[in-house]
Each structure stands twice: as C-alpha cells, then as structure tokens.
Amino acid sequence: MTTLSAAETMRFGPLRIAFDGRVLRPRPWTEAQSVWAAEILASAPPGPVLELCSGAGQIGLLTVVGSGRPLVCVDLNPAACEWARHNAEQAGLADRVEVREGPMDRVIEDPERFALVVADPPWVRREEVGRYPEDPVVAIDGGRDGLDVAWSCIEVARRHLAPSGTLLLQLGTVEQVDALRARLRGGGFTITEVRWCDRGVLVRLDLT
Ligand SMILES: C[S@@+](CC[C@H](N)C(=O)[O-])C[C@H]1O[C@@H](n2cnc3c(N)ncnc32)[C@H](O)[C@@H]1O
C-alpha cells in the first residue's frame, strides 16, 4: 500500500480518486470517455486495456472496473504514476493494474498487444497554455496545434492494438478532429464515431 497523503479526493463514477496539484484535477465530464470505453470493451477482442496519459488513472480505472480486464496505465509524470497506483489500490484493482512511468513510446514492449487503447493526451495549443495557470504545463501542452502528443498516442496504438482493436482518443476542439481526419487518411485507422461532450471531444478510431 502506498503512503501518499492526498491533497484532495473526488468521486469519479463509483470510484474515489485522490490527487494533488502536481497532476491535472480530474474533470467530471471525462467519465463519458470511461463509459464509452467500457461499452466498447464489452465486445472487444480478448486482451488487456492500455491507458495512455493516465494522470491519476481515473479514466482507465473506471473503464475496466466492471470488466475483469487487466489495465496498463502510462504517464511520464512520476507524481501521476504515484496517484494512479494509489487509486488502483484504493479501488481494489491493484492485482490487475500496472502503472508504467515514462514517455509512452519507451515503456511498451514490441510484442505487447491490447484490445483497447484509451488516450487522454494534452490537447491545449501551446500559445493558450497560459490561460490555465492552475494546471501543470506537462498535462495540457499539446504543442503548436495541440495535437503533438495525440499523434504519439495514435502511433503507439497503431503498433500495439490487437487486430479489431479500438483507440478511444480525447481531443479538445472540432478543428482538431478535422485536422486528425485529414492527416489520418490511409493511415491504418478509420474514425468511426465522434462524440461532442461538455468540454472536449471523444473520437473512436478502429483499425482498418
Ligand atoms: C490531459 S492530462 C490527462 C490526465 C488524466 N487522464 C486526467 O484526465 O486527469 C495528460 C497527461 O499526459 C501525460 N503525458 C504528456 N506527455 C506524455 C508522454 N509523451 N508520454 C506519457 N504521458 C504523457 C501528462 O503527464 C498528463 O498526466
């Protein structure tokens, strides 16, 4: 059991999630990503779930809590990984959740395959990061057009999804979805559904 003392906790679906100011504050609307991911998981191929950019882990934990599937959470922020481990333990999921610390393209072995990848990359355009002084920069800075880390997620998913697997990606704006669609053309994925939520966008990409 980890011995972190939480600055704060909040409910995320049935889970209680602990976090502090070193990580992004969990956003209630993102429960929609977990709910949709759990629906997809019900008919996904066998295998574990990969959560990229997991932060405190709440989106991935809520995705798998009712399924019995193993979950691998990845984040390069050591504090996020500490909280993700803590939250997995508190949820009674420590035996099937592994948290890996590091850049996503360095911590997954070549032969590993996942039934579902859930990704929540930083998607704020770099020039707008200053509008969110309460958020850690590493958690929100998505580069010039906000898509730098999202493309890394797509590359990792392309390499590590099982056949018929799905990537459920979070983005910020309509323009980002359009840019993704234009650049993806012929790139191994089809965008099969887009859902607009309160404060962001969820994009389902299936391997073609
Ligand atoms: C938008 S936050 C999402 C965190 C969490 N899913 C949430 O909803 O609170 C993005 C996360 O991506 C992590 N991150 C940024 N670049 C990364 C990379 N190259 N590899 C792994 N994690 C990364 C950050 O540390 C941060 O925790």
XYZ file of all heavy atoms in Angstrom, residues 24-105:
604
model
N -3.208 16.852 -13.189
C -4.440 17.527 -13.605
C -5.582 17.128 -12.675
O -5.740 15.959 -12.342
C -4.775 17.100 -15.042
C -5.802 17.940 -15.784
C -5.274 19.348 -16.035
C -6.161 17.269 -17.114
N -6.377 18.108 -12.268
C -7.581 17.824 -11.475
C -8.541 16.999 -12.324
O -8.845 17.396 -13.468
C -8.230 19.139 -11.067
C -9.644 19.058 -10.547
C -10.152 20.422 -10.156
N -9.495 20.836 -8.918
C -9.921 20.512 -7.691
N -11.033 19.813 -7.548
N -9.264 20.885 -6.632
N -9.031 15.851 -11.836
C -9.974 15.065 -12.656
C -11.174 15.903 -13.091
O -11.727 16.680 -12.306
C -10.396 13.942 -11.686
C -9.222 13.784 -10.775
C -8.690 15.185 -10.578
N -11.533 15.762 -14.365
C -12.653 16.535 -14.925
C -13.879 15.626 -15.019
O -13.834 14.612 -15.729
C -12.275 17.050 -16.315
C -11.116 18.068 -16.323
C -10.318 17.994 -17.608
N -9.670 16.697 -17.738
C -9.280 16.153 -18.891
N -9.463 16.804 -20.020
N -8.709 14.969 -18.900
N -14.952 15.983 -14.299
C -16.125 15.099 -14.258
C -16.644 14.682 -15.639
O -17.074 13.545 -15.818
C -17.155 15.915 -13.480
C -16.320 16.784 -12.574
C -15.096 17.134 -13.385
N -16.587 15.586 -16.637
C -17.150 15.229 -17.943
C -16.431 14.043 -18.573
O -17.005 13.335 -19.417
C -17.150 16.427 -18.899
C -15.828 16.757 -19.550
C -14.920 17.672 -19.133
C -15.276 16.169 -20.734
N -13.836 17.688 -19.977
C -14.029 16.778 -20.961
C -15.714 15.176 -21.627
C -13.206 16.422 -22.048
C -14.894 14.821 -22.706
C -13.670 15.443 -22.902
N -15.178 13.797 -18.164
C -14.414 12.718 -18.804
C -14.877 11.326 -18.365
O -14.412 10.335 -18.923
C -12.900 12.881 -18.561
O -12.634 12.791 -17.157
C -12.383 14.199 -19.101
N -15.812 11.275 -17.400
C -16.449 9.976 -17.128
C -17.062 9.416 -18.409
O -17.168 8.210 -18.599
C -17.553 10.118 -16.075
C -17.032 10.189 -14.662
C -18.159 10.220 -13.644
O -19.221 9.613 -13.887
O -17.966 10.880 -12.599
N -17.490 10.318 -19.301
C -18.094 9.876 -20.572
C -17.117 9.037 -21.384
O -17.524 8.121 -22.107
C -18.548 11.088 -21.375
N -15.819 9.349 -21.285
C -14.829 8.544 -22.009
C -14.759 7.128 -21.425
O -14.699 6.138 -22.160
C -13.444 9.217 -21.963
C -12.417 8.517 -22.847
C -11.153 9.335 -23.053
O -10.953 10.377 -22.418
N -10.283 8.865 -23.933
N -14.798 7.032 -20.100
C -14.765 5.707 -19.462
C -16.020 4.904 -19.794
O -15.938 3.699 -20.058
C -14.678 5.849 -17.941
O -13.587 6.623 -17.558
N -17.169 5.578 -19.754
C -18.430 4.867 -20.002
C -18.445 4.313 -21.423
O -18.785 3.150 -21.663
C -19.633 5.807 -19.749
C -20.932 5.198 -20.249
C -19.720 6.150 -18.264
N -18.010 5.150 -22.371
C -17.978 4.690 -23.769
C -16.928 3.579 -23.933
O -17.169 2.554 -24.585
C -17.673 5.876 -24.682
C -17.862 5.597 -26.148
C -18.380 4.460 -26.714
C -17.539 6.486 -27.226
N -18.397 4.585 -28.084
C -17.890 5.809 -28.422
C -17.008 7.760 -27.303
C -17.702 6.385 -29.666
C -16.832 8.339 -28.549
C -17.172 7.659 -29.726
N -15.773 3.761 -23.314
C -14.722 2.743 -23.415
C -15.203 1.404 -22.849
O -14.931 0.337 -23.424
C -13.468 3.212 -22.674
N -15.928 1.443 -21.747
C -16.433 0.194 -21.160
C -17.436 -0.480 -22.101
O -17.461 -1.716 -22.215
C -17.075 0.480 -19.801
N -18.241 0.336 -22.796
C -19.183 -0.227 -23.781
C -18.414 -0.927 -24.904
O -18.751 -2.031 -25.318
C -20.019 0.890 -24.417
C -21.124 1.440 -23.546
C -21.722 2.739 -24.133
O -21.553 3.011 -25.354
O -22.306 3.485 -23.348
N -17.382 -0.272 -25.399
C -16.577 -0.860 -26.475
C -15.918 -2.149 -25.996
O -15.854 -3.156 -26.701
C -15.506 0.155 -26.949
C -16.179 1.360 -27.612
C -14.508 -0.506 -27.902
C -15.240 2.547 -27.841
N -15.454 -2.108 -24.770
C -14.723 -3.249 -24.208
C -15.597 -4.506 -24.150
O -15.089 -5.625 -24.277
C -14.240 -2.871 -22.804
C -13.056 -3.612 -22.216
C -11.885 -3.669 -23.169
C -12.674 -2.967 -20.887
N -16.891 -4.320 -23.976
C -17.779 -5.471 -23.837
C -17.737 -6.370 -25.071
O -17.971 -7.580 -24.971
C -19.202 -4.989 -23.572
N -17.437 -5.811 -26.255
C -17.364 -6.650 -27.456
C -15.985 -6.569 -28.117
O -15.834 -6.888 -29.300
C -18.455 -6.236 -28.454
O -18.319 -4.870 -28.753
N -14.990 -6.146 -27.359
C -13.625 -6.036 -27.900
C -12.965 -7.417 -27.917
O -13.401 -8.332 -27.216
C -12.808 -5.079 -27.029
N -11.902 -7.559 -28.716
C -11.181 -8.834 -28.696
C -10.586 -9.079 -27.306
O -10.523 -8.167 -26.491
C -10.074 -8.638 -29.744
C -10.025 -7.193 -30.038
C -11.340 -6.590 -29.653
N -10.169 -10.325 -27.037
C -9.572 -10.599 -25.735
C -8.305 -9.769 -25.543
O -7.665 -9.363 -26.515
C -9.203 -12.090 -25.802
C -9.932 -12.637 -26.966
C -10.197 -11.501 -27.909
N -7.970 -9.525 -24.282
C -6.713 -8.837 -24.010
C -6.879 -7.669 -23.064
O -7.990 -7.253 -22.749
N -5.753 -7.126 -22.638
C -5.767 -6.033 -21.668
C -6.090 -4.683 -22.311
O -6.157 -4.551 -23.530
C -4.326 -6.030 -21.136
C -3.508 -6.596 -22.247
C -4.395 -7.561 -22.983
N -6.267 -3.684 -21.446
C -6.528 -2.298 -21.864
C -5.272 -1.483 -21.578
O -4.591 -1.685 -20.573
C -7.724 -1.724 -21.073
C -7.924 -0.241 -21.390
C -8.992 -2.519 -21.385
N -4.967 -0.561 -22.497
C -3.849 0.372 -22.315
C -4.415 1.772 -22.167
O -5.189 2.228 -23.018
C -2.932 0.305 -23.541
C -1.766 1.303 -23.593
C -0.777 1.065 -22.446
C -1.035 1.187 -24.948
N -4.028 2.449 -21.077
C -4.417 3.851 -20.915
C -3.175 4.721 -21.083
O -2.240 4.636 -20.275
C -5.038 4.116 -19.533
C -5.454 5.584 -19.409
C -6.007 5.971 -18.039
O -5.759 5.258 -17.057
O -6.674 7.021 -17.972
N -3.177 5.568 -22.110
C -2.067 6.490 -22.355
C -2.398 7.849 -21.766
O -3.529 8.319 -21.885
C -1.820 6.619 -23.862
C -1.433 5.330 -24.580
C -1.387 5.542 -26.096
C -0.082 4.803 -24.079
N -1.388 8.475 -21.132
C -1.590 9.778 -20.481
C -2.600 9.646 -19.347
O -3.597 10.366 -19.284
C -2.028 10.822 -21.498
S -0.850 11.030 -22.848
N -2.311 8.740 -18.443
C -3.309 8.320 -17.450
C -3.506 9.319 -16.329
O -4.522 9.267 -15.644
C -2.921 6.967 -16.870
O -1.634 7.034 -16.299
N -2.549 10.220 -16.068
C -2.696 11.084 -14.909
C -2.922 10.228 -13.670
O -2.233 9.223 -13.464
N -3.906 10.597 -12.849
C -4.195 9.843 -11.624
C -4.911 8.522 -11.898
O -5.243 7.798 -10.951
C -5.020 10.709 -10.676
N -5.185 8.219 -13.150
C -5.655 6.890 -13.533
C -7.159 6.697 -13.592
O -7.639 5.611 -13.933
N -7.920 7.752 -13.315
C -9.361 7.545 -13.123
C -10.089 7.089 -14.380
O -11.025 6.279 -14.295
C -10.014 8.811 -12.539
C -10.064 10.029 -13.443
C -8.768 10.841 -13.418
O -7.788 10.456 -12.807
N -8.792 11.977 -14.090
N -9.670 7.567 -15.555
C -10.411 7.195 -16.766
C -10.215 5.702 -17.058
O -11.167 4.973 -17.332
C -9.982 8.074 -17.962
C -10.384 9.539 -17.705
C -10.617 7.579 -19.256
C -9.920 10.525 -18.776
N -8.989 5.235 -16.934
C -8.725 3.815 -17.181
C -9.345 2.926 -16.106
O -9.915 1.870 -16.418
N -9.240 3.339 -14.862
C -9.795 2.516 -13.779
C -11.301 2.351 -13.937
O -11.837 1.246 -13.798
C -9.471 3.147 -12.416
C -7.981 3.169 -12.030
C -7.776 3.971 -10.746
C -7.427 1.756 -11.871
N -11.982 3.458 -14.249
C -13.441 3.365 -14.422
C -13.789 2.546 -15.669
O -14.820 1.887 -15.710
C -14.042 4.777 -14.496
C -15.568 4.867 -14.587
C -16.252 4.125 -13.435
C -16.018 6.332 -14.613
N -12.915 2.562 -16.662
C -13.152 1.746 -17.860
C -13.175 0.258 -17.527
O -14.034 -0.487 -17.987
C -12.060 2.014 -18.916
O -12.147 3.371 -19.345
C -12.203 1.091 -20.112
N -12.222 -0.195 -16.717
C -12.074 -1.646 -16.514
C -12.747 -2.178 -15.257
O -12.817 -3.396 -15.073
C -10.580 -2.067 -16.490
C -9.879 -1.656 -17.773
C -9.848 -1.551 -15.250
N -13.233 -1.300 -14.386
C -13.649 -1.779 -13.064
C -14.702 -2.884 -13.142
O -14.672 -3.826 -12.344
C -14.115 -0.602 -12.171
C -15.392 0.041 -12.667
C -14.248 -1.033 -10.720
N -15.586 -2.823 -14.114
C -16.636 -3.834 -14.194
C -16.321 -4.990 -15.118
O -17.182 -5.832 -15.378
N -15.108 -5.063 -15.632
C -14.832 -5.997 -16.729
C -13.933 -7.173 -16.384
O -13.939 -8.165 -17.086
C -14.166 -5.240 -17.880
O -12.818 -4.936 -17.548
N -13.116 -7.073 -15.376
C -12.128 -8.117 -15.097
C -10.884 -8.046 -15.969
O -9.970 -8.849 -15.838
N -10.829 -7.071 -16.896
C -9.659 -6.959 -17.787
C -8.475 -6.330 -17.050
O -8.651 -5.389 -16.273
C -9.971 -6.052 -18.973
C -11.137 -6.506 -19.789
C -10.712 -6.947 -21.130
N -11.886 -7.075 -21.989
C -11.819 -7.406 -23.271
N -10.652 -7.611 -23.849
N -12.922 -7.519 -24.000
N -7.247 -6.757 -17.391
C -6.060 -6.049 -16.889
C -5.939 -4.680 -17.554
O -6.414 -4.470 -18.672
C -4.886 -6.949 -17.310
C -5.486 -8.252 -17.707
C -6.886 -7.963 -18.170
N -5.271 -3.764 -16.842
C -5.078 -2.395 -17.328
C -3.618 -2.015 -17.141
O -3.044 -2.230 -16.067
C -5.961 -1.439 -16.519
C -5.722 0.070 -16.708
C -6.141 0.516 -18.108
C -6.497 0.867 -15.640
N -3.027 -1.441 -18.198
C -1.701 -0.822 -18.099
C -1.888 0.676 -18.244
O -2.422 1.134 -19.264
C -0.739 -1.356 -19.189
C 0.589 -0.601 -19.136
C -0.507 -2.858 -19.019
N -1.481 1.437 -17.219
C -1.543 2.902 -17.257
C -0.144 3.439 -17.544
O 0.833 2.966 -16.944
C -1.975 3.466 -15.905
S -3.626 3.034 -15.393
N -0.053 4.440 -18.418
C 1.239 5.033 -18.769
C 1.182 6.545 -18.588
O 0.250 7.205 -19.091
C 1.603 4.716 -20.243
C 2.851 5.489 -20.667
C 1.807 3.218 -20.429
N 2.182 7.088 -17.895
C 2.311 8.546 -17.805
C 3.773 8.870 -17.531
O 4.469 8.131 -16.838
C 1.439 9.114 -16.682
C 1.124 10.598 -16.907
O 2.046 11.438 -16.778
O -0.039 10.907 -17.230
N 4.232 10.004 -18.081
C 5.642 10.349 -17.849
C 5.856 11.162 -16.578
O 6.997 11.378 -16.165
C 6.259 11.060 -19.065
C 5.616 12.270 -19.695
C 5.523 13.463 -18.796
C 6.390 12.638 -20.958
N 4.779 11.590 -15.934
C 4.887 12.378 -14.712
C 4.932 11.418 -13.507
O 3.954 10.707 -13.251
C 3.672 13.314 -14.628
C 3.651 14.132 -13.359
O 4.455 13.932 -12.457
N 2.701 15.045 -13.274
N 6.050 11.395 -12.758
C 6.142 10.454 -11.636
C 5.011 10.638 -10.623
O 4.521 9.654 -10.050
C 7.497 10.787 -10.998
C 8.279 11.472 -12.070
C 7.289 12.176 -12.944
N 4.585 11.880 -10.393
C 3.504 12.105 -9.428
C 2.204 11.471 -9.920
O 1.440 10.883 -9.136
C 3.312 13.605 -9.211
N 1.937 11.583 -11.222
C 0.735 10.959 -11.777
C 0.782 9.450 -11.548
O -0.225 8.826 -11.178
C 0.631 11.278 -13.271
N 1.943 8.858 -11.757
C 2.063 7.404 -11.583
C 1.854 7.005 -10.121
O 1.216 5.981 -9.839
C 3.422 6.923 -12.093
S 3.580 7.127 -13.879
N 2.375 7.802 -9.209
C 2.136 7.520 -7.779
C 0.644 7.508 -7.484
O 0.133 6.620 -6.809
C 2.790 8.594 -6.903
C 4.282 8.503 -6.766
C 4.809 9.664 -5.923
O 4.216 9.965 -4.867
O 5.800 10.284 -6.339
N -0.069 8.523 -7.989
C -1.512 8.596 -7.717
C -2.270 7.488 -8.424
O -3.243 6.951 -7.871
C -2.069 9.966 -8.097
C -1.704 11.038 -7.121
C -1.042 12.197 -7.377
C -1.973 11.044 -5.707
N -0.878 12.917 -6.215
C -1.436 12.239 -5.180
C -2.597 10.154 -4.849
C -1.520 12.561 -3.827
C -2.684 10.471 -3.491
C -2.151 11.657 -2.995
N -1.856 7.146 -9.626
C -2.550 6.066 -10.337
C -2.406 4.744 -9.571
O -3.377 3.990 -9.427
C -2.014 5.939 -11.760
N -1.206 4.480 -9.044
C -1.016 3.254 -8.241
C -1.876 3.309 -6.986
O -2.543 2.335 -6.618
C 0.460 3.096 -7.852
C 1.321 2.662 -9.001
C 2.748 2.299 -8.573
N 3.558 2.211 -9.764
C 4.353 3.191 -10.221
N 4.495 4.306 -9.533
N 5.017 3.035 -11.353
N -1.841 4.433 -6.324
C -2.638 4.601 -5.105
C -4.125 4.395 -5.403
O -4.822 3.672 -4.669
C -2.395 6.009 -4.552
C -3.247 6.377 -3.388
N -2.861 6.156 -2.074
C -4.474 6.947 -3.329
C -3.818 6.571 -1.265
N -4.799 7.060 -1.992
N -4.606 5.017 -6.481
C -6.034 4.922 -6.789
C -6.441 3.517 -7.208
O -7.552 3.072 -6.901
C -6.402 5.958 -7.858
C -6.381 7.371 -7.288
O -6.774 7.592 -6.142
N -5.896 8.330 -8.080
N -5.536 2.808 -7.882
C -5.814 1.410 -8.223
C -5.939 0.576 -6.945
O -6.849 -0.261 -6.813
C -4.710 0.862 -9.123
N -5.049 0.812 -5.997
C -5.121 0.077 -4.723
C -6.429 0.387 -3.997
O -7.118 -0.515 -3.511
C -3.938 0.459 -3.826
C -2.628 -0.134 -4.283
C -1.432 0.461 -3.537
O -1.632 1.283 -2.617
O -0.297 0.102 -3.904
N -6.766 1.668 -3.928
C -7.978 2.069 -3.211
C -9.234 1.480 -3.857
O -10.226 1.231 -3.184
C -8.095 3.600 -3.175
C -7.003 4.291 -2.378
C -7.008 3.880 -0.912
O -8.049 3.900 -0.267
N -5.864 3.489 -0.389
N -9.179 1.269 -5.154
C -10.334 0.712 -5.875
C -10.358 -0.814 -5.814
O -11.264 -1.437 -6.380
C -10.295 1.176 -7.333
N -9.353 -1.410 -5.165
C -9.285 -2.862 -5.089
C -8.851 -3.498 -6.402
O -9.122 -4.670 -6.653
N -8.149 -2.728 -7.233
C -7.771 -3.213 -8.568
C -6.261 -3.413 -8.720
O -5.785 -3.648 -9.835
C -8.251 -2.216 -9.633
C -9.766 -2.013 -9.731
C -10.088 -0.888 -10.718
C -10.450 -3.305 -10.162
N -5.523 -3.339 -7.633
C -4.059 -3.370 -7.749
C -3.564 -4.650 -8.408
O -2.540 -4.632 -9.098
C -3.433 -3.206 -6.365
N -4.295 -5.748 -8.236
C -3.813 -7.027 -8.793
C -3.940 -7.090 -10.306
O -3.357 -7.957 -10.943
C -4.546 -8.202 -8.140
C -6.052 -8.120 -8.350
O -6.571 -7.005 -8.616
O -6.714 -9.159 -8.275
N -4.691 -6.192 -10.907
C -4.769 -6.218 -12.383
C -4.449 -4.878 -13.026
O -4.722 -4.666 -14.201
C -6.098 -6.791 -12.882
C -7.355 -6.112 -12.439
C -8.554 -6.915 -12.927
N -9.793 -6.480 -12.370
C -10.640 -5.659 -12.959
N -10.362 -5.183 -14.163
N -11.767 -5.314 -12.398
N -3.838 -3.983 -12.283
C -3.415 -2.696 -12.851
C -1.910 -2.538 -12.690
O -1.371 -2.679 -11.598
C -4.140 -1.519 -12.163
C -3.613 -0.183 -12.707
C -5.646 -1.612 -12.377
N -1.258 -2.255 -13.810
C 0.173 -1.971 -13.801
C 0.367 -0.530 -14.270
O -0.213 -0.136 -15.286
C 0.891 -2.932 -14.757
C 2.388 -2.771 -14.757
C 3.052 -3.572 -15.873
O 2.369 -4.412 -16.500
O 4.233 -3.322 -16.129
N 1.176 0.224 -13.543
C 1.431 1.616 -13.903
C 2.875 1.745 -14.361
O 3.795 1.333 -13.636
C 1.162 2.559 -12.710
C 1.429 4.009 -13.111
C -0.280 2.399 -12.217
N 3.067 2.284 -15.548
C 4.422 2.432 -16.098
C 4.751 3.908 -16.259
O 3.981 4.648 -16.889
C 4.545 1.727 -17.444
C 4.266 0.245 -17.336
C 4.525 -0.452 -18.642
N 3.976 -1.798 -18.609
C 3.871 -2.594 -19.658
N 4.296 -2.170 -20.838
N 3.351 -3.803 -19.549
N 5.894 4.282 -15.742
C 6.315 5.687 -15.772
C 7.289 5.920 -16.918
O 8.304 5.222 -17.018
C 6.989 6.023 -14.433
C 7.481 7.451 -14.341
C 8.217 7.683 -13.036
O 7.795 7.155 -11.984
O 9.260 8.375 -13.095
N 6.977 6.892 -17.777
C 7.895 7.233 -18.864
C 7.154 7.695 -20.090
O 5.921 7.634 -20.138
N 7.894 8.170 -21.101
C 7.255 8.539 -22.368
C 6.603 7.305 -22.987
O 7.178 6.215 -22.956
C 8.424 9.020 -23.233
C 9.585 9.166 -22.317
C 9.352 8.306 -21.137
N 5.429 7.490 -23.548
C 4.643 6.332 -23.993
C 5.363 5.472 -25.029
O 5.114 4.273 -25.113
C 3.289 6.796 -24.522
C 3.380 7.623 -25.774
S 1.765 8.220 -26.276
C 1.622 9.677 -25.271
N 6.250 6.077 -25.824
C 6.916 5.290 -26.866
C 8.121 4.521 -26.325
O 8.822 3.855 -27.087
C 7.327 6.179 -28.042
C 8.149 7.376 -27.605
O 8.295 7.583 -26.382
O 8.644 8.110 -28.483
